[in-house]
Amino acid sequence: MQRFTRWMIILISTLLLFGSGLAFADEIGEVSEKPLEKEGIEQQISYALGYNIVDQLKGNFELDPEFFIQGAADNQAGQPKLTPEKLRELLMSFQQMAQQRQMAKMQAESGVNRAAGNKFLEENKKKEGVITLSSGLQYKVLTEGEGAMPTKEDTVECHYKGSLIDGTIFDSSYQRGSPAVFQVGGVIPGWIEALQKMKVGSKWQLFIPPDLAYGDRGAGAVIKPGSTLVFEVEVLGIVE
């Protein structure tokens, strides 16, 4: 959905630019043979926008350059070959196709990552000190605290480091030099379960399967769909 929205913003922005008077070839294929670097800035930007749109759509929609250019030229000339109703219908079809392809891609990627995560967790649970809970969450106590144990309604201050199973770090309060403050009940399920078992002063290593993390949707550019995550979490205190 995020990628689809980005495509639509690019597409709409480009059409608005065409409609506001950007120079455009009167006939399909009438493009200057001069090197692009010697063209005007508007021509170079027009080329860059066209290149970027096609690049964004690769692998998700087979854009026909001839008809795409024809549509842009007709918009510039104010002579559409389709009714507004038909244009809206086709854009809705594009949205549905893009969503379906994105979902299929996400599910395929999630399947691969889940398989890798399952293998990792199966091997990890055999290691010394690793405890596996009925939910599938695994943890290892690095330091046992002696303070109070937070509830789901409490706000806690924590230091943490999050990584993928290959060791790639995607977030770290240690690197930022500042601990995080958040409500126990407002984080991913794996954290919610673990934090309610950790006394203040504790530092645990958490191994979180995807259904207790970000599931099949993933999060951001690094946490892919179906990812198993590894965290080091240190509970510094309960914020009154």
Side-chain angles (χ1 to χ4, degrees):
M1 280 301 294
Q2 289 179 341
R3 290 192 64 189
F4 168 73
T5 303
R6 189 163 64 246
W7 298 337
M8 291 304 296
I9 290 172
I10 294 169
L11 183 58
I12 292 168
S13 299
T14 305
L15 293 179
L16 287 173
L17 284 171
F18 285 144
S20 65
L22 257 177
F24 197 79
D26 292 328
E27 299 292 337
I28 302 301
E30 282 193 11
V31 178
S32 172
E33 295 182 359
K34 290 193 301 182
L36 270 174
E37 291 80 2
K38 295 184 178 181
E39 296 285 359
I41 186 64
E42 289 187 344
Q43 285 72 30
Q44 292 186 44
I45 290 175
S46 297
Y47 177 87
L49 286 168
Y51 190 95
N52 190 51
I53 290 170
V54 174
D55 191 55
Q56 292 290 330
L57 291 172
K58 277 181 182 177
N60 291 279
F61 184 80
E62 296 301 321
L63 186 69
D64 188 309
E66 179 182 351
F67 284 90
F68 178 81
I69 294 171
Q70 183 66 63
D74 289 349
N75 178 278
Q76 173 74 357
Q79 296 177 343
K81 291 183 172 62
L82 298 172
T83 65
E85 292 76 19
K86 185 62 176 178
L87 287 169
R88 283 194 294 270
E89 178 186 329
L90 290 169
L91 288 174
M92 286 296 295
S93 295
F94 166 70
Q95 180 179 4
Q96 292 170 359
M97 291 168 63
Q99 290 174 342
Q100 289 169 358
R101 293 185 184 189
Q102 185 67 13
M103 285 296 297
K105 181 179 178 181
M106 187 180 297
Q107 289 171 357
E109 188 173 18
S110 178
V112 172
N113 292 330
R114 280 177 176 272
N118 288 340
K119 182 179 179 181
F120 171 85
L121 292 171
E122 281 297 314
E123 295 174 353
N124 190 62
K125 71 180 182 181
K126 301 172 186 176
K127 294 181 179 179
E128 184 179 356
V130 175
I131 297 172
T132 302
L133 302 178
S134 59
S135 65
L137 175 68
Q138 296 180 358
Y139 71 90
K140 180 178 181 179
V141 177
L142 303 179
T143 303
E144 186 64 82
E146 298 180 354
M149 193 176 294
T151 68
K152 195 173 182 179
E153 288 72 35
D154 284 329
T155 297
V156 293
E157 182 179 33
C158 293
H159 257 315
Y160 68 92
K161 178 181 72 174
S163 61
L164 306 179
I165 58 175
D166 65 2
T168 300
I169 298 174
F170 56 81
D171 194 10
S172 173
S173 66
Y174 294 105
Q175 291 180 355
R176 290 195 298 272
S178 177
V181 176
F182 51 85
Q183 186 177 14
V184 173
V187 289
I188 58 175
W191 271 54
I192 294 174
E193 184 175 7
L195 286 170
Q196 294 181 87
K197 298 178 181 296
M198 297 177 67
K199 296 178 181 180
V200 172
S202 294
K203 184 176 183 179
W204 287 12
Q205 193 172 22
L206 307 180
F207 309 92
I208 305 180
D211 290 335
L212 298 179
Y214 296 98
D216 292 329
R217 69 185 186 280
V222 180
I223 303 175
K224 302 299 183 181
S227 291
T228 294
L229 305 180
V230 180
F231 286 94
E232 285 186 11
V233 182
E234 183 178 2
V235 180
L236 302 177
I238 297 173
V239 180
E240 297 297 334

